[in-house]
Amino acid sequence: MASIIIMPKQGLLMEEGTITKWLVKEGEKTTEGTPLFEMETDKLTITMDSTATGTVLKILHPEGDTVPITQPIAIVGEPGEDISALLGGEAPAAAPAAAPEAPAAETAPTPEAAAPAVERAPGERVFSSPRARLRAEENGVDIAAVPGSGPNGLVIERDVQSYLANKPAVTPLAANIAKAQGVDLAGIAGTGAGGKITAADLPGASAPAEAAPAEEAAAPAGQLTRGTHTEKMTGMRKAVMKNMLNSKQVNAQTNHRMVVDMTAVIALRNQYKALGIKVSYNDIIVRACAKALTDMPIVNASVDGNNILYHDYVNVGTAVSVPGGLIVPVIKDADIIGLTGIAAKSAELIEKAREGKLTESDYHGGTFTVSSLGMFDLDDFVAIINPPESAILAVGKIAKTPVVVTDEEGEDQVVIKSMCALCLSYDHRIIDGAEAAKFLQKVKNYLQNPVLLI
């Protein structure tokens, strides 16, 4: 008997996955427990094993499709097996019981009935669910054009999916003209390639426009043509976009800056290096932050509705740039594993991140983040808080800088020191300015007296 392969759920926060590659094609055999396809979630690309043994009879979603969790993606069974019942099960509503012999094509219009048209006055506010807005933004859909089937005409995710499934193919120029003129494209027959609606097909189009729309005219021979191209966002980029936008909308983010003398940190790192122990500047900074977070629990806390959630543990995330985006693996218990423990764990996580081998537990559970961009010759910058954390430390480059110091006799002198700019972004809802300043002072004190970190 044929089995349905579904989009598996990997982690509590996963809502959908993108199929990046099928490792077994239609007509090929697969065995339970062997690799079947590669899937990209919000942060990871992982290989998923088959949950059935047999022949891949039908792939329901090709490579590149983003599929909600638990939705069917393939059917596995015996060659020649009748899977029409399983294919029909994909539709939201089954065919009438009195006509089981009706072909699948007759049930195709059923999804349209799930989203009855809603009359809206021009400029009338459109109410939509968050997931509906997300789907519309991802696919470049004007939410106002989508009929809503929810209570009081609310546009829900199903409505956007139905709209996309029935949306006519249209050229960008025609789409812009139709939107500006309020033209409904649903009833217009396209004369372009593959039935695509062009500007010439719109009501009131002039004769010249019908002849050859500018966007579709061939370029003269030898003339350089340049334009734009579209690339679909990866799951990682969408996750970064969603998290950062949410951070700016929810957090009352502000920041404090401070410059630190890193001379003692450089000396400490050189001492470890002489002993054959690899410790980076970032490891030392993470250790200093972990100590300061223990001293200042409010900076290690999170907002939970109208409550403040204090964490008994200190988990410091370190932002790592990877192809296609940014990921923040977390060093757990950074306050108790010591400097060499932080160095070892950091090296392990960075290697796993760049090889795409991080697990969900590797990048969840952070209480604070350190983002270092000094390696890119950046003097200083402001980082965005990584929710649900309440603060993030941005670290610039270590640079030799003229500094005025006062000697024992009270005389001012200009000396060259290795200085580094720190910027603490914090959530002002629970962290006051004075507390943020004290935290930065503690980090500075630990870095200028790193013997306190050992």
Side-chain angles (χ1 to χ4, degrees):
M1 182 176 180
S3 301
I4 294 178
I5 306 295
I6 65 171
M7 175 58 71
K9 182 172 184 178
Q10 299 293 303
L12 296 175
L13 302 179
M14 179 179 170
E15 297 179 347
E16 62 187 15
T18 300
I19 300 171
T20 56
K21 184 178 181 180
W22 281 102
L23 304 176
V24 180
K25 309 300 182 184
E26 283 189 10
E28 296 180 350
K29 292 184 177 297
T30 183
T31 304
E32 183 177 356
T34 60
L36 180 62
F37 67 99
E38 291 180 357
M39 174 184 74
E40 180 185 67
T41 64
D42 60 345
K43 293 288 187 181
L44 305 173
T45 297
I46 52 181
T47 299
M48 301 306 303
D49 294 338
S50 176
T51 56
T53 297
T55 300
V56 178
L57 303 177
K58 183 69 175 179
I59 290 179
L60 303 176
H61 288 280
E63 296 174 356
D65 269 15
T66 299
V67 186
I69 57 172
T70 73
Q71 291 299 304
I73 59 175
I75 299 176
V76 173
E78 295 300 323
E81 187 174 353
D82 183 9
I83 59 172
S84 57
L86 296 178
L87 291 174
E90 291 179 72
E101 72 281 357
E106 294 181 13
T107 64
T110 303
E112 296 180 15
V118 175
E119 295 294 332
R120 299 191 185 103
E124 180 182 352
R125 182 179 177 184
V126 179
F127 293 93
S128 57
S129 69
R131 288 189 63 82
R133 292 193 296 273
L134 178 62
R135 290 288 170 270
E137 291 172 3
E138 289 176 345
N139 293 278
V141 172
D142 181 4
I143 198 71
V146 181
S149 63
N152 299 318
L154 175 75
V155 179
I156 58 179
E157 183 181 17
R158 181 185 63 197
D159 299 329
V160 178
Q161 293 173 333
S162 177
Y163 177 86
L164 289 170
N166 297 281
K167 182 181 178 182
V170 58
T171 65
L173 178 61
N176 290 335
I177 294 175
K179 183 177 181 180
Q181 297 180 350
V183 175
D184 183 5
L185 298 174
I188 298 177
T191 59
K196 182 178 290 187
I197 299 174
T198 69
D201 299 320
L202 300 179
S206 62
E210 294 176 5
E215 66 179 19
E216 297 167 6
Q223 179 177 325
L224 177 65
T225 58
R226 294 185 293 177
T228 60
H229 72 281
T230 301
E231 292 184 2
K232 190 174 181 179
M233 281 190 182
T234 63
M236 180 181 297
R237 176 49 55 191
K238 288 189 287 186
V240 172
M241 174 183 70
K242 180 179 178 181
N243 289 343
M244 295 301 97
L245 183 60
N246 178 62
S247 179
K248 296 294 285 186
Q249 290 177 336
V250 174
N251 294 331
Q253 179 167 316
T254 187
N255 58 79
H256 286 342
R257 300 168 186 264
M258 192 171 286
V259 180
V260 177
D261 181 0
M262 299 291 280
T263 303
V265 168
I266 295 173
L268 177 65
R269 182 172 181 264
N270 288 337
Q271 286 179 319
Y272 274 106
K273 186 176 181 180
L275 295 172
I277 303 174
K278 291 184 178 181
V279 174
S280 70
Y281 292 126
N282 196 67
D283 296 332
I284 300 173
I285 293 170
V286 168
R287 174 63 174 156
C289 289
K291 291 278 289 181
L293 289 167
T294 303
D295 298 336
M296 302 282 297
I298 187 63
V299 184
N300 195 54
S302 302
V303 175
D304 181 19
N306 291 324
N307 301 315
I308 299 176
L309 187 63
Y310 287 92
H311 306 293
D312 296 329
Y313 49 87
V314 175
N315 296 342
V316 180
T318 54
V320 178
S321 177
V322 295
L326 178 75
I327 197 165
V328 186
V330 177
I331 300 173
K332 305 290 179 62
D333 300 315
D335 56 327
I336 61 177
I337 62 176
L339 180 54
T340 55
I342 289 174
K345 189 62 177 178
S346 177
E348 175 192 337
L349 289 171
I350 290 174
E351 182 178 1
K352 289 175 69 175
R354 289 175 177 163
E355 293 180 355
K357 296 181 178 179
L358 286 175
T359 63
E360 183 188 18
S361 63
D362 288 329
Y363 61 86
H364 281 156
T367 58
F368 184 85
T369 296
V370 173
S371 179
S372 299
L373 292 177
M375 70 288 289
F376 297 109
D377 202 33
L378 201 63
D379 293 321
D380 66 282
F381 65 102
V382 179
I384 299 177
I385 299 169
N386 185 28
E389 299 166 15
S390 296
I392 183 172
L393 184 70
V395 183
K397 69 178 182 181
I398 299 175
K400 291 184 177 180
T401 308
V403 178
V404 177
V405 298
T406 304
D407 60 23
E408 295 178 356
E409 299 178 358
E411 297 293 331
D412 290 338
Q413 295 182 348
V414 177
V415 298
I416 303 299
K417 288 184 173 290
S418 296
M419 307 299 290
C420 178
L422 306 179
C423 178
L424 178 73
S425 297
Y426 61 95
D427 189 347
H428 214 328
R429 290 180 300 171
I430 63 170
I431 303 174
D432 294 329
E435 292 171 322
K438 288 177 182 177
F439 175 81
L440 267 181
Q441 280 184 325
K442 287 183 176 294
V443 173
K444 178 177 181 177
N445 183 55
Y446 283 127
L447 292 176
Q448 294 186 165
N449 300 279
V451 68
L452 300 173
L453 302 178
I454 302 174

